[in-house]
Amino acid sequence: MRRTVFNEDHEAFRQTLRAFIEAEVVPVYDEWFQQGIVPREFYYKLAELGIFGINVPEEYGGAGLETHKFEAIQYEETARAGVTFGGSNVHVLLALPYIKMLATEEQKKRYLPKFVSGEEMWAIAMTEPGTGSDLAGMKTTAKLSEDGTHYVLNGAKTFITGGVHADRVIVCARTAPPSPEDRRHGISLFAVDTKSEGYSVGRKLDKLGLRTSDTAELAFVDVKVPAEDLLGEENKGFYYLGANLPSERWGIAFGAYAQAKAAIRFTKQYVKERTVFGKPVAHFQNTKFELAACQAEVDAAEAVADRALEALDAGELTPAEAASAKLFCTEVAHRVIDRCLQLHGGYGYMNEYPIARLYADNRVNRIYGGTSEIMKTIIAKDMGL
């Protein structure tokens, strides 16, 4: 089945990235995995490779492209190698769209050159203890000072990917109480400098998967945020968040599909080499049938992921379409990776094998960015149900 989503430039980037991963990541990845974090210095190497500037306008030091296809290739190549790049996906896929959409010219001049160089790594802080998917229920507050020069930020966030290494965090906070008509009203976004007094990073959370991704708890105690670091207009943050959810959910969908594709690659290699009862595991009909079924599912997921990518680049990916892609691709990945692990037998349960790490990394895809149940709700509503 011929794929048409990528051109020669994309494939040249793929080869460059693949060589980079083999040289700079694979030899040290086990060490990163044991430590549970990617070294901060690694992000400078990604910046030198141009990863952070692809979608940044040229006047701020970027390449000025408007496409997610290079991000898609990064998903495929990291999955293929059985590695992750820590919080770098949050930096590019989640934080950058808010800067481009909401920042003033003055803010872009301050933020984007350091964004591209890796000097300032960004994260986004939405989730709070006890709120989960209910963003409108957040309790973190930001009160404007009497002289209007700054906001005073108080509250806490959890499950913040990239939170340990972040130099700036887009913090969602209440600047006004919810109205009786719309409880989503009153949320604003702030580009908070993590060196600010009263800002603190709590525990680096001990996760089941994505071990090299630094996920943290954050706390804010009377943090003074300059008024010029408000992103967009006051009280409209919830709607800004909603505008960027389709791209976030596409990223999760594409990443899940890439993991499923990688699982088949790892398993094909394993069953050809592993011998039981005097024969390679690949010789048995059950192995052939299982991998054939997995391949058929991944072919379908690839088509869905690619279609969503094209729609996203064209600015036409709707919330319901993004939810459908996320639901389908993450559920396919769950089934495929589980079946591939089964074919590894007991070794599939060992972290030294990529399939075990994929199994753990993949599980969160059906939770973050909106659970599978939330995706079904969005799709059903779009169907008029």
Side-chain angles (χ1 to χ4, degrees), residues 80-376:
R80 179 184 183 276
V83 302
T84 61
F85 283 175
S88 64
N89 283 345
V90 170
H91 183 67
V92 175
L93 183 64
L94 300 191
L96 182 58
Y98 291 101
I99 303 173
K100 291 174 66 177
M101 178 176 69
L102 302 175
T104 64
E105 182 61 27
E106 183 276 331
Q107 288 175 323
K108 289 177 181 178
K109 288 179 179 178
R110 280 196 291 127
Y111 300 152
L112 288 176
K114 293 180 180 179
F115 182 101
V116 172
S117 69
E119 183 179 346
E120 282 191 352
M121 293 300 296
W122 286 61
I124 184 165
M126 292 185 269
T127 305
E128 295 184 1
T131 61
S133 296
D134 181 20
L135 293 179
M138 68 176 62
K139 300 294 192 293
T140 297
T141 61
K143 296 183 179 179
L144 187 63
S145 62
E146 291 186 3
D147 61 7
T149 61
H150 63 273
Y151 291 81
V152 179
L153 181 68
N154 283 283
K157 300 288 183 178
T158 193
F159 305 147
I160 309 308
T161 302
V164 174
H165 283 322
D167 302 289
R168 276 196 185 268
V169 176
I170 299 174
V171 177
C172 311
R174 280 213 164 272
T175 44
S179 68
E181 298 79 19
D182 187 359
R183 60 193 294 267
R184 298 170 295 181
H185 172 78
I187 294 170
S188 301
L189 307 184
F190 299 90
V192 180
D193 186 338
T194 63
K195 297 184 295 294
S196 302
E197 184 178 354
Y199 181 106
S200 62
V201 178
R203 293 185 302 150
K204 182 175 76 65
L205 299 175
D206 185 17
K207 305 187 300 297
L208 169 67
L210 298 175
R211 302 283 299 180
T212 64
S213 179
D214 53 310
T215 303
E217 296 173 328
L218 307 179
F220 322 112
V221 180
D222 294 333
V223 177
K224 291 184 178 180
V225 181
E228 54 266 29
D229 283 329
L230 170 69
L231 281 175
E233 296 182 40
E234 261 196 7
N235 303 325
K236 293 187 177 181
F238 193 95
Y239 309 102
Y240 298 146
L241 295 172
N244 279 320
L245 278 174
S247 64
E248 178 183 353
R249 288 168 177 162
W250 163 80
I252 297 169
F254 207 96
Y257 138 72
Q259 289 174 325
K261 183 177 182 179
I264 293 177
R265 175 175 177 266
F266 292 132
T267 306
K268 281 173 58 181
Q269 180 180 354
Y270 177 82
V271 297
K272 288 178 180 179
E273 296 173 354
R274 173 70 169 156
T275 300
V276 295
F277 304 115
K279 298 177 181 179
V281 175
H283 175 81
F284 297 97
Q285 186 183 63
N286 179 69
T287 303
K288 296 175 182 179
F289 280 10
E290 282 294 282
L291 284 176
C294 287
Q295 185 63 56
E297 288 216 75
V298 169
D299 285 345
E302 180 179 86
V304 170
D306 284 356
R307 185 181 69 174
L309 171 56
E310 295 283 25
L312 181 63
D313 269 11
E316 299 172 354
L317 185 64
T318 68
E321 289 168 345
S324 178
K326 180 182 185 295
L327 177 66
F328 183 76
C329 291
T330 57
E331 294 291 341
V332 164
H334 163 65
R335 292 191 296 270
V336 167
I337 295 171
D338 184 74
R339 294 165 85 172
C340 285
L341 188 150
Q342 188 73 14
L343 289 173
H344 280 72
Y347 289 106
Y349 207 64
M350 301 296 110
N351 274 327
E352 65 186 277
Y353 284 81
I355 193 67
R357 298 180 185 184
L358 270 181
Y359 185 87
D361 289 350
N362 174 261
R363 185 58 184 88
V364 75
N365 289 331
R366 291 183 289 148
I367 299 173
Y368 67 2
T371 63
S372 291
E373 291 72 26
I374 294 292
M375 297 305 99
K376 292 174 183 177

Side-chain angles (χ1 to χ4, degrees), residues 3-7 9-11 13-14 17 54-55 65-77 93 250 254 305-314:
R3 210 172 174 196
T4 59
V5 70
F6 299 121
N7 62 28
D9 290 340
H10 300 129
E11 295 303 334
F13 173 76
R14 183 190 301 279
L17 181 60
I54 292 171
N55 291 336
L65 302 179
E66 289 291 340
T67 177
H68 288 80
K69 292 183 179 181
F70 295 95
E71 293 165 34
I73 290 170
Q74 183 176 320
Y75 282 122
E76 290 186 334
E77 291 304 308
L93 183 64
W250 163 80
F254 207 96
D306 284 356
R307 185 181 69 174
L309 171 56
E310 295 283 25
L312 181 63
D313 269 11

